[in-house]
Amino acid sequence: MTQRNCTVKYSKERRPSCRRRPIEGTPVHVDVGTTFPTGIRVESPRGPVTVWQLLGKGPVVVAFHRMWCPFCQQAARDLVAVRDDLEACGARVVIVYREDVGSVGGSCADRAIPFDCVSDSDRQLEQAADITKFSLSRYLAFSPAKMIRALRSGSRIGMSAHFLQGRGTFVLDRTGKVVYAHRSTTAADLPQINDVLVAVRAAANDNTDDLRNL
């Protein structure tokens, strides 16, 4: 087995950005450099939990996904693919869904997602993190080829009355400060997994100041 390390690596050819231009109409007060709403309770298969309870040992990746969405399923697989790198940094991953905790647990088990899958059915955490819904025009502004790739990689299309539900991914340091924030602009707009890893490594090594220069 290849031994993983948690060293921050930068590339001169392509430097990932942890700052994204705010989406028009989207609140921006939960962004890089601010404190994430870590005290809001969500439901896990083991009972109520807060993001704050998961902090302390290392960074935390919080991803707001839609269970029925093929692109969200692809984003979850991207995280699974770098699980060893995340664990080398002591990072935990929390994937937040709107569905009830029973459905969430069953879906994550069915798709072999090894992370903390939680239910935010009352949307308190979603709203506190400024995850706002897509406009219809922005939601559909993606190439059909991206949908085909997602389906070929194992995603399944579901149905939901909340198909315009937004999606976002955050990396938090040990104190709950946001060091990386990505809010999707279209249904197919996924965070670059290498960007997530750079942010996790920087947070694990207390080098988050360096991220401002990326």
Side-chain angles (χ1 to χ4, degrees):
M1 179 180 295
T2 302
Q3 184 174 2
R4 307 282 180 171
N5 62 61
C6 195
T7 303
V8 181
K9 298 179 181 179
Y10 302 109
S11 170
K12 294 182 179 179
E13 288 75 20
R14 179 179 181 273
R15 291 187 171 188
S17 174
C18 288
R19 292 185 181 273
R20 297 178 61 87
R21 184 179 299 276
I23 306 168
E24 184 177 355
T26 300
V28 296
H29 62 271
V30 176
D31 208 337
V32 173
T34 66
T35 300
F36 192 80
T38 57
I40 296 176
R41 295 204 314 178
V42 291
E43 293 293 328
S44 78
R46 298 179 299 279
V49 67
T50 66
V51 174
W52 178 256
Q53 292 173 288
L54 305 178
L55 294 171
K57 295 183 178 179
V60 173
V61 180
V62 182
F64 292 84
H65 285 186
R66 301 167 299 174
M67 187 180 296
W68 48 269
C69 170
F71 296 114
C72 293
Q73 296 166 28
Q74 180 180 334
R77 288 195 300 274
D78 289 345
L79 288 166
V80 172
V82 296
R83 179 186 181 186
D84 290 344
D85 299 276
L86 294 169
E87 290 183 345
C89 295
R92 296 186 70 163
V93 177
V94 181
I95 303 182
V96 185
Y97 298 96
R98 281 189 186 178
E99 286 78 8
D100 66 87
V101 67
S103 299
V104 168
S107 176
C108 288
D110 181 57
R111 291 184 286 129
I113 296 178
F115 305 128
D116 293 295
C117 296
V118 301
S119 167
D120 182 37
S121 58
D122 58 8
R123 301 176 55 200
Q124 287 191 15
L125 185 58
E126 176 186 320
Q127 292 170 355
D130 301 332
I131 305 298
T132 57
K133 70 177 184 179
F134 295 104
S135 68
L136 182 59
S137 59
R138 291 301 301 160
Y139 178 82
L140 297 174
F142 65 89
S143 167
K146 292 186 176 181
M147 175 67 79
I148 293 173
R149 284 197 296 271
L151 295 176
R152 285 179 175 174
S153 67
S155 293
R156 291 170 287 183
I157 297 178
M159 297 295 293
S160 172
H162 306 290
F163 72 97
L164 294 179
Q165 174 189 345
R167 181 176 60 236
T169 300
F170 302 87
V171 176
L172 317 180
D173 69 9
R174 293 181 181 89
T175 69
K177 185 176 74 174
V178 179
V179 300
Y180 172 89
H182 177 281
R183 290 181 176 87
S184 299
T185 58
T186 72
D189 178 24
L190 303 181
Q192 294 293 319
I193 196 62
N194 287 336
D195 292 8
V196 174
L197 279 176
V198 166
V200 165
R201 287 167 175 156
N205 289 283
D206 296 321
N207 283 332
T208 53
D209 286 344
D210 293 341
L211 293 174
R212 299 191 183 102
N213 299 319
L214 295 180

